[in-house]
Amino acid sequence: KAQDRPGSGFDESNPASVFPMMGRQVDVAALRNHVRDAAGNQISWNYTSHNNPYFTSLANDQNDDRTRMLGGLSATYAFTNMLQGTLRAGADHYTEHRRFDIAPGWMGGFPDFAGRGSFATGGFEGDDITATQSDVEASVRATPRGEFAFTLGAGRRGNTLGFTPTAFSDTLPAAPQFPTVTNSTDASTLYAFGGVQASLASWATLDASVRHESSSLGGASASELYPAVLATLDLTRARPEMRGMLLDALTVRAGWSRSGNDVLPAAAMAIAQRAPGVAYDQLVSPEVTSGYEVGASAGLFGSRLTADLSFYADRTENLLVPGALEFLRGGEISNHGIEVQAEVVPVRRSNIEWRVGGSFGQNANDVVRLPGVTTPENRITLPITAPIGGVTLAAREGSSFPQIIGTRFLRDASGALLLRNGLPLADSVTGPVTLGNTIPSWTGGVSSGLKIWGLDLSVLFDIRQGGQIFSASNRAGAYAGTLAETAFRPDSGLLIAGTDVATGKANTVHVSTQDYYHALGAIGERWVYDASFVKLREARATVDVPLHSIGLHAQRMRLSLIGRNLALWTNVPNIDPETVLSTSFIGGAELGQLPTTRSVGVQVTLTP
């Protein structure tokens, strides 16, 4: 059960999105103690469209509860010592009820199942959701010779989702509506697979498999074939003379595969809500990814140093591209990159061990093709979000995904700002351009662990370098004059460096701080930041207590103090750049971000 979950995104249902716009002189504690006046009217800091920030939690109700059952079984029968069969089955089912009640006096509207309603005089909505996933698979495995194994099998995977609005009204005391339409979607996949695993003299293995899937979605169907192959060579086993003081182990691998991604009922419902005209025939064919990976792992200096290196490249076709107002089939995107992991043990003694680890990853993606007609001179750009603050996220052919598209500063040929009446201008002639790339240049991590007798200390840092993010909160706070950066307000006004568009000479006009930041509100470039950060992801201290030594009937007890998200270093002001756009998978835009959670906990582990 959950009560009063906050909304997300730049919306009145998310109280956190209001704070950047709220005047610094507002007594927030007083608003908590005075939600309504004597006549029952809402008391707010702004009566045009913004609610008292405590109205959501103290006057409204938003509750949900879920009952979930899941289970599975597996059985294996050996027909002979070379042939065995396995049967697996499982199911995961839940029912969920959601209900929200909006109190009279609400401002700014509220999202509902039909889109958005007023709720100014109050309202409510109830929704029932049921979901089931079921899996069943049967396979046989034959090992006629020790170095060969063969597998054959078949199975079915099913998903069902139902959504029913049980009662609704966005205007009280009007009688509630009782929608009778239940949105229900079924998806299933029948599959058959076979494979062979071969080993040679314990130093070479080859796995080859093929899988045929027939997918069904709401009566429409499609099928695909997915082969895969992976080869591994243990070079130090093949050539024992390679082992020495420097090298302990060296393994290389290479593989190629083709895999698919079906549209599940939840995605199909979201698509139908945004683009009602989309048919299941357009959705049932899966996205297909083909790619290869090569890599190597090594141990050196008596396993004091271990390292793993891999390079991959893949291409995904038949992408389902989420446009701002529609969904389109037929996109294509490629990815390639490198991943490195290493660990070194500088100190290893009987009661002391110190480990240091590191990881590095670099991925480059490219939108190869988008649905539609294109020419080399006119690359397709498809907005995937509605504009906010003059900025959208978009997919653009020949660029990484997604791109931040919006208005930039108007500049002269030398790059100097062009001003009118002392204020910066948006480049309305060129129009929307690419303001940033949301993909980081690289990501990585650093970890360290120290064991001293019964004490174990460890830390983990996460690193992101490069990539950009648009911040709606910073834009709103600067426009409203609540952020610290707007505090410089000289009586003489601000003199912005640049060229006057009317005279072509250096600007001499002073402007107020308010007018300056209001002008910046129309220029998306100003609110795009470098999204690099370093975060102390986790710190842990663990102590071992040997309980048997004090007469208790247990081998040991481990007591751990664990902290997560403890510190953040970034040049992005006021927000955590490790964010997403609302609850979708698309990064690159911060819209009324809920505060990041820092947690500290205690864990006790007993070993009987």
Side-chain angles (χ1 to χ4, degrees):
K1 294 186 177 181
Q3 293 182 319
D4 295 328
R5 297 184 194 265
S8 62
F10 221 69
D11 189 272
E12 281 297 310
S13 62
N14 173 15
S17 70
V18 175
F19 284 105
M21 297 175 281
M22 186 181 296
R24 298 175 73 100
Q25 79 284 358
V26 173
D27 189 337
V28 180
L31 289 174
R32 180 189 181 107
N33 298 324
H34 301 86
V35 176
R36 295 187 184 275
D37 61 20
N41 299 312
Q42 181 188 167
I43 298 174
S44 184
W45 60 279
N46 181 309
Y47 291 93
T48 57
S49 58
H50 296 303
N51 295 282
N52 182 318
Y54 287 101
F55 197 90
T56 296
S57 59
L58 298 180
N60 295 343
D61 285 309
Q62 184 154 311
N63 304 316
D64 60 89
D65 61 81
R66 174 181 291 191
T67 301
R68 184 178 182 185
M69 296 177 290
L70 61 138
L73 60 88
S74 65
T76 299
Y77 182 78
F79 299 100
T80 70
N81 60 356
M82 293 186 297
L83 181 67
Q84 65 181 30
T86 301
L87 175 67
R88 299 184 181 92
D92 185 353
H93 173 80
Y94 72 82
T95 60
E96 182 173 332
H97 178 69
R98 300 174 181 175
R99 167 88 184 206
F100 67 77
D101 292 88
I102 306 301
W106 177 261
M107 296 181 287
F110 198 86
D112 59 59
F113 79 96
R116 195 173 189 85
S118 169
F119 294 91
T121 60
F124 63 92
E125 179 180 330
D127 303 310
D128 286 337
I129 300 171
T130 60
T132 303
Q133 176 176 315
S134 59
D135 298 273
V136 60
E137 180 182 290
S139 64
V140 293
R141 180 179 175 85
T143 54
R145 296 175 59 184
E147 63 268 24
F148 290 97
F150 303 91
T151 304
L152 290 174
R156 181 186 184 277
R157 180 177 63 250
N159 287 274
T160 302
L161 178 65
F163 174 84
T164 304
T166 56
F168 167 76
S169 176
D170 68 346
T171 305
L172 295 180
Q177 305 172 38
F178 297 94
T180 58
V181 177
T182 297
N183 295 317
S184 181
T185 304
D186 297 321
S188 63
T189 301
L190 294 173
Y191 59 89
F193 60 91
V196 58
Q197 300 85 43
S199 60
L200 177 63
S202 76
W203 55 266
T205 60
L206 177 68
D207 289 352
S209 64
V210 63
R211 182 183 183 96
H212 182 268
E213 294 193 356
S214 296
S215 303
S216 175
L217 178 66
S221 60
S223 62
E224 286 287 346
L225 195 66
Y226 303 120
V229 62
L230 173 65
T232 304
L233 300 176
D234 189 332
L235 298 181
T236 48
R237 282 192 176 185
R239 294 288 185 268
E241 63 272 15
M242 295 177 63
R243 291 195 178 110
M245 295 183 61
L246 175 64
L247 184 65
D248 304 308
L250 178 61
T251 302
V252 296
R253 62 187 181 274
W256 176 89
S257 65
R258 175 181 165 91
S259 60
N261 183 29
D262 292 335
V263 173
L264 296 179
M269 282 190 181
I271 293 169
Q273 185 177 27
R274 186 185 294 187
V278 174
Y280 286 135
D281 289 336
Q282 300 171 262
L283 303 178
V284 67
S285 58
E287 299 175 345
V288 178
T289 300
S290 301
Y292 69 89
E293 179 180 345
V294 295
S297 59
L300 302 94
F301 304 111
S303 297
R304 290 291 189 99
L305 173 62
T306 58
D308 186 274
L309 170 68
S310 62
F311 174 82
Y312 62 89
D314 60 53
R315 177 169 293 205
T316 302
E317 302 171 294
N318 199 35
L319 273 172
L320 186 62
V321 184
L325 300 174
E326 59 185 343
F327 280 78
L328 301 174
R329 265 290 190 197
E332 188 174 331
I333 192 169
S334 66
N335 285 273
H336 66 271
I338 186 172
E339 295 178 345
V340 182
Q341 290 184 326
E343 185 180 69
V344 61
V345 185
V347 178
R348 177 182 287 161
R349 297 179 180 176
S350 58
N351 293 317
I352 301 176
E353 183 176 273
W354 176 31
R355 294 178 175 270
V356 178
S359 63
F360 172 86
Q362 188 175 53
N363 179 76
N365 69 12
D366 182 69
V367 177
V368 179
R369 184 173 62 85
L370 290 172
V373 179
T374 184
T375 64
E377 296 78 19
N378 182 26
R379 295 183 299 170
I380 291 179
T381 299
L382 178 64
I384 57 176
T385 64
I388 180 169
V391 168
T392 61
L393 296 182
R396 188 179 189 190
E397 285 187 347
S399 302
S400 61
F401 175 83
Q403 296 279 300
I404 303 174
I405 306 294
T407 54
R408 65 183 179 187
F409 285 100
L410 183 64
R411 301 177 184 271
D412 61 21
S414 66
L417 292 178
L418 291 175
L419 311 174
R420 178 178 289 118
N421 298 324
L423 295 172
L425 298 171
D427 187 353
S428 58
V429 177
T430 304
V433 297
T434 299
L435 301 177
N437 172 15
T438 63
I439 303 299
S441 302
W442 59 270
T443 59
V446 177
S447 62
S448 181
L450 177 64
K451 292 183 179 180
I452 305 178
W453 290 278
L455 180 64
D456 190 349
L457 306 174
S458 65
V459 292
L460 171 64
F461 293 88
D462 277 349
I463 305 169
R464 170 185 168 132
Q465 179 60 44
Q468 285 77 43
I469 186 171
F470 167 78
S471 173
S473 293
N474 278 306
R475 174 184 177 273
Y479 191 94
T482 63
L483 299 186
E485 69 174 80
T486 69
F488 182 61
R489 306 174 185 183
D491 293 338
S492 59
L494 303 176
L495 181 63
I496 309 303
T499 303
D500 188 280
V501 293
T503 65
K505 298 180 179 180
N507 175 52
T508 59
V509 179
H510 289 70
V511 296
S512 69
T513 303
Q514 174 175 296
D515 289 344
Y516 172 65
Y517 280 98
H518 281 188
L520 294 180
I523 305 172
E525 180 184 357
R526 174 58 177 79
W527 313 110
V528 175
Y529 302 88
D530 179 0
S532 303
F533 68 82
V534 176
K535 181 173 287 190
L536 177 53
R537 182 70 66 193
E538 181 178 290
R540 180 187 295 255
T542 301
V543 61
D544 279 340
V545 180
L547 297 180
H548 65 275
S549 63
I550 57 177
L552 296 181
H553 297 289
Q555 293 185 36
R556 68 193 310 190
M557 179 179 76
R558 290 173 63 86
L559 179 63
S560 300
L561 178 65
I562 306 168
R564 295 189 174 94
N565 294 328
L566 298 178
L568 170 67
W569 296 269
T570 181
N571 290 326
V572 186
N574 307 312
I575 67 165
D576 181 350
E578 188 184 24
T579 184
V580 295
L581 170 64
S582 186
T583 53
S584 79
F585 67 94
I586 302 168
E590 176 275 325
L591 307 178
Q593 181 189 74
L594 293 169
T596 301
T597 300
R598 177 185 298 141
S599 65
V600 177
V602 175
Q603 179 179 341
V604 179
T605 304
L606 285 173
T607 303

